Amino acid sequence: MGKVRGQSKVSLWGNKCDLSISAGQDNSQKTSPIDSLNSLQSFILVDDSNMVWLTLNSSRRLEGTGKKTADRVDIVLDNAGFELVTDLVLADFLVSSGLARQIHFHGKCFPWFVSDVTAKDFQWTIRQTMAANHKWMCKSGFRWQSYLKEGVWCYHDHPFWTQPHEFCDMAADAPDLYATLQEADLVLFKGDLNYRKLTGDRDWGHTVDFCAALRGFEPAPLCSLRTLKANIQVGLQPGQAEKLTSQDPSWMTNGNYAVIQFHIPKLEQ
């Protein structure tokens, strides 16, 4: 359980590396993200990582080996670069640890923001990892390439991700994509733009429940892994936002705070 939470938080904090907020300035990762997790824990405003673990466990099915594993986890990607690498590491962990049989990645047809993952970024990152002058990175790259060849990993893009719709419109405007997400046991939404589209980019009160802000969007159990870079945040405790504002007036936009927010459809509860 600790490893699941740790890997998901490395992927979470990978979201700090975002060209749309750094404007091209050096924003590279210079320290071990694993070593930083304890010091960053207090900056996670909502932490539903236990619910992610429980969902993966409850979705497990018997394999031919007699082991139980969830069938499929989908990851809706955000930024290329370091964040994408952390997402690939998380996906590798989910498969190699037996928590999921298959990972479906969702990228964009073209960058909505400058560093959004496209198919070219996805393929280039794996090729670069394969060619790395580092034993374990190189081995990881070849393993990731084999996952793709064997169908353990799949990459998709869809026009909906770059259209001006909030996600609660998906079932009506892109029923094929909604049906695809319904096949997942868990959908992870990375980053700020996906959070804004999950919540409709509305001026919600900070204590509004995450479920209410989704406005009926619930194709499958879902979780947002997001560092805050926009003026929207729901699901906080009473007084939490006011305390943050008094301590750090730019807490919603400076990328220093994060959330792991989970929702499960009522029919699956």
Side-chain angles (χ1 to χ4, degrees):
M1 177 176 176
K3 288 184 179 180
V4 177
R5 296 180 67 181
Q7 292 291 348
S8 64
K9 289 175 183 177
V10 170
S11 178
L12 167 69
W13 289 113
N15 185 235
K16 284 174 68 72
C17 297
D18 186 339
L19 276 175
S20 67
I21 195 171
S22 67
Q25 296 179 6
D26 185 9
N27 196 23
S28 59
Q29 183 70 35
K30 298 181 176 63
T31 60
S32 167
I34 295 175
D35 292 343
S36 304
L37 291 183
N38 287 337
S39 63
L40 291 170
Q41 181 61 38
S42 62
F43 293 91
I44 301 179
L45 306 180
V46 181
D47 186 355
D48 291 337
S49 53
N50 281 339
M51 295 300 298
V52 175
W53 164 255
L54 291 172
T55 297
L56 287 171
N57 267 330
S58 65
S59 299
R60 287 183 167 193
R61 300 172 176 85
L62 277 174
E63 288 186 303
T65 60
K67 294 181 179 179
K68 288 187 175 182
T69 184
D71 189 48
R72 175 174 147 185
V73 173
D74 283 30
I75 303 177
V76 183
L77 300 166
D78 190 23
N79 294 294
F82 177 75
E83 180 178 1
L84 175 57
V85 173
T86 66
D87 297 337
L88 297 175
V89 170
L90 172 60
D92 191 350
F93 170 76
L94 292 173
V95 171
S96 61
S97 64
L99 286 169
R101 280 196 186 100
Q102 194 175 52
I103 307 293
H104 284 232
F105 297 93
H106 299 268
K108 295 184 175 68
C109 302
F110 60 87
W112 182 272
F113 284 124
V114 62
S115 53
D116 286 339
V117 176
T118 63
K120 184 176 180 180
D121 297 315
F122 189 85
Q123 295 157 4
W124 181 88
T125 300
I126 293 177
R127 289 197 305 269
Q128 290 298 109
T129 308
M130 292 169 65
N133 187 24
H134 185 285
K135 176 181 177 181
W136 298 111
M137 284 189 68
C138 183
K139 287 188 70 172
S140 294
F142 277 93
R143 184 166 62 250
W144 298 347
Q145 186 66 25
S146 70
Y147 285 158
L148 288 170
K149 288 182 178 179
E150 295 165 6
V152 176
W153 284 6
C154 304
Y155 178 90
H156 312 268
D157 52 32
H158 192 284
F160 181 86
W161 300 120
T162 48
Q163 291 173 348
H165 300 294
E166 54 193 291
F167 290 168
C168 66
D169 295 333
M170 187 187 294
D173 293 335
D176 57 330
L177 177 58
Y178 193 84
T180 294
L181 296 183
Q182 284 181 307
E183 296 173 7
D185 294 296
L186 174 69
V187 184
L188 301 176
F189 287 90
K190 291 300 307 293
D192 208 62
L193 176 60
N194 282 323
Y195 191 86
R196 291 168 65 182
K197 290 194 169 189
L198 281 168
T199 58
D201 218 4
R202 288 173 168 79
D203 188 20
W204 297 103
H206 296 306
T207 58
V208 169
D209 190 74
F210 184 46
C211 172
L214 293 173
R215 301 181 73 233
F217 179 71
E218 45 181 26
L222 63 87
C223 180
S224 171
L225 300 172
R226 172 226 185 185
T227 58
L228 280 62
K229 304 164 198 163
N231 290 303
I232 179 169
Q233 181 57 54
V234 299
L236 299 185
Q237 297 299 312
Q240 191 176 7
E242 291 77 8
K243 182 178 180 181
L244 285 162
T245 300
S246 68
Q247 296 173 342
D248 184 353
S250 62
W251 65 273
M252 280 198 288
T253 57
N254 59 22
N256 291 333
Y257 297 87
V259 293
I260 301 173
Q261 286 185 287
F262 177 84
H263 171 68
I264 188 168
K266 291 179 181 178
L267 292 178
E268 300 193 33
Q269 291 179 3

